[in-house]
Amino acid sequence: METRVKISEVCCLCYGAKRALTKSVEAKKEGKNVVLFKEILHNKRVVQELQKLNIVEKENLEDLQKGDFVILRAHGEGKGTYRYLDSRNIEYLDCTCPNVLSINKLVEKKNSEGYKIILIGKYGYKTGKMHPEVLGTSNWCDSPILIEEEEEIDTINLSSEKYFLAVQTTFSQEKALKMIDKISKKMQQFGKKFEFKDTTCNAQRVINEKSVKLAKEADKMIVVGGKNSSNTKELFNNVSTYTTSFFAESIDDVKALIKDKKIVKGDYIGLTGGASTIIEELNEIRDYILKVL
Ligand code: SF4
């Protein structure tokens, strides 16, 4: 039987990540001394391409200096970062995704109106590793209540009178809605005022939906993306519910899958990539599989 490879109708770089990447390259072309503040994308290949353009990355705020043209990545930053840059007259371009920016502004506003903020997101409940977006958003309000798992809801401290809840953009919407429902009931039970906004990202949701659609028809799925990318991991978990799925960080991982006979001639293979994967990687993988199988 003939091997088939199909790329998900919607996948790869979301507009937030694409925008940050494009702006960085554009600024470099304009002759600016572009410095990325932290990893712009969880994508080794993109990072290497940027290094070739002499675009450097700095991890610590203290390493940023006058003369740098700092790119703030799509994940968003806390207020402290802006204060630091402004106080030292360091030029920067805020490439925070508009979705994340609006959440940060919203929690800041609600916080100033006296609401205690609850943020559903990957703050490291089990891993101890906080997602940068959660870290950034947390800095726009006073000590928010962070929740990642349903089991934590019972322990929410209800000493405030009103609460506002937002969700990390790349958090699973399905999981978040279940948690919001439970929190809402708890608030009602204790007579607290409760408002929320489902701030999960639509871009991510469409990638998930289209990838799951493909997973339902394909024999096997390959999810391409960085292993430390939160949304790629989520995508992998979603598609692997429907078919045998593999994670590939690069074409080398796909070569290993072929060598180990995990994917073989005659398979119908679905390909998708998370919000930090570039479409060129998927095209290359598709062409390679079709060439060798
Ligand atoms: S996943 Fe959504 S919220 Fe996050 S950067 Fe991309 S478009 Fe923005």
Side-chain angles (χ1 to χ4, degrees):
M1 229 181 8
E2 203 183 316
T3 306
R4 281 191 296 157
V5 182
K6 187 170 168 186
I7 295 176
S8 174
E9 270 172 65
V10 182
C11 58
C12 296
L13 277 199
C14 60
Y15 64 82
K18 203 181 278 176
R19 180 170 160 267
L21 186 59
T22 313
K23 295 275 181 200
S24 309
V25 175
E26 277 173 10
K28 189 70 197 176
K29 282 187 185 151
E30 286 166 16
K32 296 200 188 287
N33 180 29
V34 176
V35 173
L36 307 174
F37 183 42
K38 301 181 187 150
E39 195 178 58
I40 194 166
L41 282 183
H42 300 302
N43 182 313
K44 279 187 195 156
R45 177 172 162 164
V46 171
V47 170
Q48 282 165 1
E49 293 294 324
L50 292 172
Q51 280 167 349
K52 278 189 211 156
L53 291 174
N54 256 334
I55 294 179
V56 297
E57 188 184 300
K58 291 185 181 175
E59 273 298 311
N60 303 311
L61 204 52
E62 304 75 42
D63 294 335
L64 302 174
Q65 55 198 25
K66 209 160 176 216
D68 288 345
F69 183 77
V70 179
I71 301 284
L72 301 179
R73 61 184 180 172
H75 299 79
E77 287 296 324
K79 277 183 184 174
T81 302
Y82 297 94
R83 257 189 245 123
Y84 183 91
L85 295 169
D86 289 337
S87 66
R88 284 164 180 77
N89 280 323
I90 300 173
E91 209 184 344
Y92 62 89
L93 185 65
D94 189 1
C95 291
T96 302
C97 175
N99 296 347
V100 179
L101 263 189
S102 69
I103 298 174
N104 294 348
K105 293 283 167 213
L106 186 59
V107 300
E108 184 185 34
K109 179 172 171 281
K110 290 292 180 183
N111 184 72
S112 71
E113 291 169 0
Y115 286 81
K116 181 75 181 167
I117 305 298
I118 302 176
L119 183 61
I120 293 182
K122 291 176 184 162
Y123 76 92
Y125 175 58
K126 284 188 180 145
T127 60
K129 207 173 150 219
M130 191 179 282
H131 189 281
E133 184 188 316
V134 176
L135 181 64
T137 304
S138 299
N139 276 294
W140 288 89
C141 54
D142 303 316
S143 330
I145 298 170
L146 301 176
I147 299 182
E148 186 169 345
E149 296 296 339
E150 210 176 312
E151 68 205 49
E152 298 175 88
I153 295 173
D154 293 335
T155 61
I156 294 180
N157 178 331
L158 292 181
S159 54
S160 301
E161 281 317 302
K162 47 185 193 175
Y163 293 81
F164 178 78
L165 181 149
V167 190
Q168 177 195 334
T169 56
T170 47
F171 199 84
S172 151
Q173 188 195 37
E174 196 188 346
K175 193 170 158 186
L177 290 178
K178 274 191 204 147
M179 288 163 78
I180 291 171
D181 187 50
K182 197 168 172 190
I183 294 169
S184 175
K185 286 183 181 136
K186 181 177 166 122
M187 294 293 176
Q188 257 176 26
Q189 188 191 347
F190 288 89
K192 305 288 180 183
K193 183 171 179 186
F194 178 60
E195 288 177 24
F196 72 90
K197 184 155 191 223
D198 171 13
T199 47
T200 53
C201 175
N202 190 37
Q204 190 56 33
R205 201 147 49 235
V206 179
I207 293 178
N208 270 310
E209 280 169 16
K210 297 293 182 188
S211 303
V212 162
K213 184 172 167 246
L214 181 57
K216 284 179 181 168
E217 62 184 59
D219 299 329
K220 291 165 189 173
M221 284 294 287
I222 302 176
V223 178
V224 183
K227 285 192 176 134
N228 50 354
S229 158
S230 150
N231 64 65
T232 307
K233 271 189 262 177
E234 194 76 52
L235 185 60
F236 179 81
N237 291 340
N238 289 341
V239 299
S240 57
T241 313
Y242 297 95
T243 193
T244 308
S245 303
F246 304 101
F247 211 114
E249 278 205 293
S250 70
I251 196 163
D252 291 338
D253 290 342
V254 177
K255 287 179 183 172
L257 289 173
I258 294 172
K259 190 165 166 265
D260 296 343
K261 304 220 175 314
K262 298 266 175 53
I263 52 175
V264 294
K265 192 170 173 59
D267 277 344
Y268 173 18
I269 299 157
L271 277 182
T272 189
S276 50
T277 304
I278 52 173
I279 191 71
E280 289 80 358
E281 291 176 297
L282 265 63
N283 290 338
E284 276 174 23
I285 289 171
R286 177 199 55 206
D287 295 349
Y288 180 78
I289 294 173
L290 290 175
K291 193 172 118 199
V292 299
L293 291 180

